[in-house]
Amino acid sequence: NRSDIIEITVSSAAASSEAAATAKSTELEIPKTTVASIAKDTDASLVVKTDSGSVTLDNKTLETITSETNGDTVKLIVKENAALTEAQRAASAAIGENGKLFDLAVQIGNRLLHDFQGGKAYVILPMPQKLKGKDILVIYIDDNGLCKILNHSVVKIGAEDYIRFTTTHFSTFAVVDKDEAEGFIKEQNAAHVKELMQSAKFKVTTTKTSKKSVKVQVAAKSSKSLISDIKSLGYTVKYQFYRSTKKTAGYKAAVTKKTAAYTNTGGKKGTKYFYKVQVRVYDADGKLAAKTALKQCKYASRTWTKGK
């Protein structure tokens, strides 16, 4: 119970009969009661070593696994040379001829666990033979074939190079040639951000401050994770706040902020002001990549009571 690490080594030779040379799969089944005991009685992480690298599940992830009501068995699957689904086919251009797919999964009963709910997994994968000596990227491929670049490091284990990265969920990952994949991922992200911004809806709210000024705040109505998703792709988000004395016209830019709120400190007493926001997205070079129209933002209003 005082262990920091509990380690299990699994050989791919003991994998399921579905494993093949082209898609080597290593599976480990553990009673959920065992995982629950580790999560409850220790602060330890669970390390599973396979022929295709290792996966470390931290204690918080083990808690998340045991909170699932489905099934009595936990199955950890590490699959090398996995295949893309039909919906993920768009990512094949990023993988190219030299890239290599890895599929990581935690299954409880018949349900796959995707989100670790605050937990983390630390993954170590072997450097693909075709990528030795090259600059690489580690990417996560979502269910729609969108690629997200993950931070990684390269470590020596014995005489061989291994790739190490951290993730908060399991799915399909790939180690790819940076020169081959970077341009495609950049174009894919740019198109995805434009699509998100074109369909996004925002709502402005206003409140009075203790000094009777007006605090203006904006939030995405269409998706709570919209802004964080865009930022996770390496983009910068800015908010241009507008004000008018009319509901449907006459909006003029008041201020641009990196935060989703600003305090309006000036106005004419008794005048009702209407507020809207334009959301702007900039790429890593500082170039405007996408922006919303004012019609995509629901206004808020407030009568100015401060001053003469």
Side-chain angles (χ1 to χ4, degrees), residues 189 229-236 282-284:
N189 286 346
D229 289 345
I230 290 173
K231 288 181 176 179
S232 72
L233 296 173
Y235 289 82
T236 299
Y282 296 84
D283 63 20

Side-chain angles (χ1 to χ4, degrees), residues 10 20-21 25 60 62 68 75 95 98 152 172 175 194 197 203-204 206 213 215 248 250 264 281 291 295 298-299:
V10 189
S25 178
K60 175 62 180 174
L62 300 180
E68 290 287 329
K75 183 187 289 186
I95 298 163
N98 297 325
H152 77 277
T172 304
V175 181
K194 284 182 180 179
M197 293 294 283
K203 181 181 180 180
V204 173
T206 59
S213 295
K215 185 176 183 181
T248 58
N264 180 25
V281 177
K291 64 181 180 180
K295 64 182 180 181
K298 186 176 180 181
Y299 72 88

